[in-house]
Amino acid sequence: MKQSTNDNRAMQLLASSAEEEAERLRKEAEVIREQARQLEEALGDNRRSSSYQRDDDITTAVVEKEEGEGCSLKNKKVLVVGANGRLGSMVCRYLLRNNPETEVVAAVHYVGEASTRGYGRLSYEVGAEDGRGQIGAAWSEERDATFMYTDEMASYNLRNLRVIDVELLDPVQCMTITEDCDSVIWCATDFNGNKPRAVSGLDIAFLFRAVAAPTKGRVEIEGIQNILGGLKNGKRNKRWRNENNDQQNRGPVSFVLISSAPDALDDFVTPFGDFIALKRDGERILREQFPSISYTILQMAKYDENFVDEGLDVKFEEAIESRSSINDDQITGRKKNERNRRINRRDAARAACNALTDENLFEKTVQVYTVER
């Protein structure tokens, strides 16, 4: 009986001790919860904003990143070589009116006041002569001539145009004009159609240059080398200044070479070989002698403004020289079709400008046309 009483007493003590321990734990838990509430109030919105990001915030960040990627001409400087030619002036016009945040440097070879290859063609094409002018009558008291730009010319973005004279056969001048350029569009040529300008135009300046340096003096060869050398030097200096290169920025291609398709013009024998061979030599120089310069080579079909409309879809086809998988029969068929291809110069200018940012054309040689006749 006594043993039973002791057991009951022990059970009561254990139960009481368990209840006390449980109560202690409950009080500690309450203290911890209170501390947690105080900490939550102290952190407030800072904790919530740093611990997670809303779905729409994440989506916005991704979209902004995607929009920032890809090629762009924004805040870039593009040098157009041969800007006073028919195609070069159209290239300047397209760049200015479609890229309002791009600086365009128009390099021209100014021969003389009477030369059509002066500033006149470029000035007309970019719209610098579209303002409103007035000339007083010779017999009136107000004989002053006035000229002013109109509001409609704001979209021409002429403020972004800089015109410079350059002798492409002078490496120092070429190095100077390419120093800070991001990209170059080469539209220059020493040929008018398919004859040397010194012969076709009987231009004294061109003729003197050809006679003075008979072993060189070809813009298609030496001029390209000078511009490429200056561009390479300028980009190397940029890297030394810890600036990002084109590939890191996914920027525009460095050099767009406007060449001619093999059957676009009749061949012509020059002191340096056939005319078409000179064009191919210029392309080879770009591809092989300057591997650090990113490029696109556009072999334009025959230009035709009389019977080919502008604004057509531009078609690109990889040049035969750059295709190793094509057989002889295919080459024969291709060449037959190529003779009938045409393109309006304005579409050619558009293709040249868009090639700066078309990654599908990087490091490629392609033939460019709009119609086949």
Side-chain angles (χ1 to χ4, degrees):
M1 186 70 179
K2 184 176 181 182
Q3 181 65 33
S4 178
T5 301
N6 292 336
D7 292 341
N8 292 336
R9 185 176 297 172
M11 292 292 293
Q12 291 175 356
L13 291 174
L14 289 173
S16 177
S17 177
E19 290 177 0
E20 291 176 358
E21 181 66 16
E23 183 64 25
R24 184 182 67 80
L25 292 175
R26 281 194 294 269
K27 291 181 179 181
E28 289 183 358
E30 183 63 30
V31 171
I32 292 174
R33 283 194 292 269
E34 181 62 26
Q35 291 175 347
R37 283 193 294 268
Q38 293 175 359
L39 182 61
E40 185 75 17
E41 293 176 357
L43 291 175
D45 295 336
N46 292 332
R47 177 180 181 275
R48 289 189 292 272
S49 62
S50 62
S51 62
Y52 70 92
Q53 195 173 19
R54 294 181 305 168
D55 290 342
D56 55 349
D57 291 338
I58 295 174
T59 302
T60 302
V62 171
V63 170
E64 290 177 351
K65 181 179 179 180
E66 291 177 350
E67 291 178 349
E69 295 179 350
C71 294
S72 172
L73 293 180
K74 184 178 181 180
N75 299 324
K76 300 295 183 181
K77 181 187 290 187
V78 180
L79 171 66
V80 181
V81 183
N84 50 336
R86 295 179 66 182
L87 179 63
S89 58
M90 294 179 185
V91 167
C92 292
R93 173 193 175 103
Y94 189 89
L95 280 172
L96 289 169
R97 300 197 182 189
N98 293 275
N99 301 275
E101 297 181 77
T102 300
E103 181 180 354
V104 178
V105 180
V108 304
H109 186 265
Y110 185 61
V111 179
E113 293 182 358
S115 172
T116 60
R117 283 175 287 279
Y119 299 118
R121 180 179 291 156
L122 174 63
S123 176
Y124 170 79
E125 191 64 41
V126 299
E129 303 173 8
D130 288 0
R132 184 168 57 250
Q134 183 176 358
I135 302 177
W139 56 84
S140 67
E141 296 181 359
E142 297 180 358
R143 300 179 182 179
D144 296 335
T146 61
F147 179 85
M148 60 186 302
Y149 293 112
T150 61
D151 294 338
E152 292 77 10
M153 298 176 65
S155 61
Y156 295 0
N157 299 314
L158 295 178
R159 63 187 179 279
N160 297 334
L161 176 65
R162 183 161 62 96
V163 183
I164 56 176
D165 293 339
V166 62
E167 172 51 74
L168 295 173
L169 301 182
D170 185 343
V172 176
Q173 291 188 35
C174 292
M175 188 169 294
T176 301
I177 67 173
T178 55
E179 183 176 2
D180 295 322
C181 290
D182 297 288
S183 300
V184 174
I185 299 181
W186 177 276
C187 303
T189 179
D190 241 347
F191 293 84
N192 185 8
N194 63 325
K195 294 183 180 180
R197 287 213 173 108
V199 176
S200 65
L202 294 178
D203 194 294
I204 301 301
F206 280 117
L207 187 61
F208 173 79
R209 191 171 71 182
V211 174
T215 59
K216 50 183 181 179
R218 280 288 180 253
V219 165
E220 274 79 7
I221 303 298
E222 191 182 3
I224 288 180
Q225 289 176 322
N226 290 340
I227 289 293
L228 285 170
L231 184 63
K232 177 182 177 181
N233 184 70
K235 288 185 175 293
R236 183 171 57 216
N237 291 339
K238 284 185 178 182
R239 288 195 289 271
W240 285 346
R241 295 196 299 266
N242 296 322
E243 295 184 10
N244 293 329
N245 58 31
D246 288 346
Q247 290 182 345
Q248 291 173 334
N249 281 333
R250 295 174 60 83
V253 70
S254 298
F255 201 94
V256 174
L257 174 60
I258 306 301
S259 186
S260 59
D263 294 307
L265 297 171
D266 295 333
D267 210 350
F268 184 86
V269 179
T270 76
F272 306 93
D274 295 340
F275 166 68
I276 298 299
L278 282 178
K279 290 294 186 181
R280 301 294 87 86
D281 285 343
E283 297 172 9
R284 178 186 52 79
I285 289 171
L286 174 57
R287 284 192 296 258
E288 299 178 6
Q289 296 186 14
F290 296 88
S292 63
I293 300 296
S294 59
Y295 71 88
T296 295
I297 299 174
L298 303 180
Q299 296 181 353
M300 295 295 180
K302 188 172 184 177
Y303 298 123
D304 189 341
E305 282 78 52
N306 295 323
F307 301 103
V308 178
D309 294 334
E310 63 177 280
L312 302 179
D313 292 337
V314 177
K315 301 175 184 178
F316 301 95
E317 187 170 58
E318 191 172 358
I320 294 178
E321 296 87 347
S322 60
R323 297 184 64 176
S324 58
S325 60
I326 190 170
N327 56 45
D328 292 340
D329 292 337
Q330 290 174 319
I331 291 177
T332 302
R334 276 278 305 272
K335 287 185 175 180
K336 184 177 180 180
N337 293 332
E338 289 169 6
R339 297 189 187 98
N340 301 322
R341 291 174 177 174
R342 301 289 186 271
I343 187 170
N344 188 292
R345 273 190 177 83
R346 293 203 182 277
D347 286 336
R350 171 165 55 93
C353 297
N354 292 339
L356 290 171
T357 55
D358 189 346
E359 297 182 3
N360 294 323
L361 298 178
F362 284 11
E363 311 295 333
K364 289 184 179 180
T365 302
V366 295
Q367 296 190 11
V368 186
Y369 65 100
T370 54
V371 298
E372 291 184 356
R373 292 191 173 277

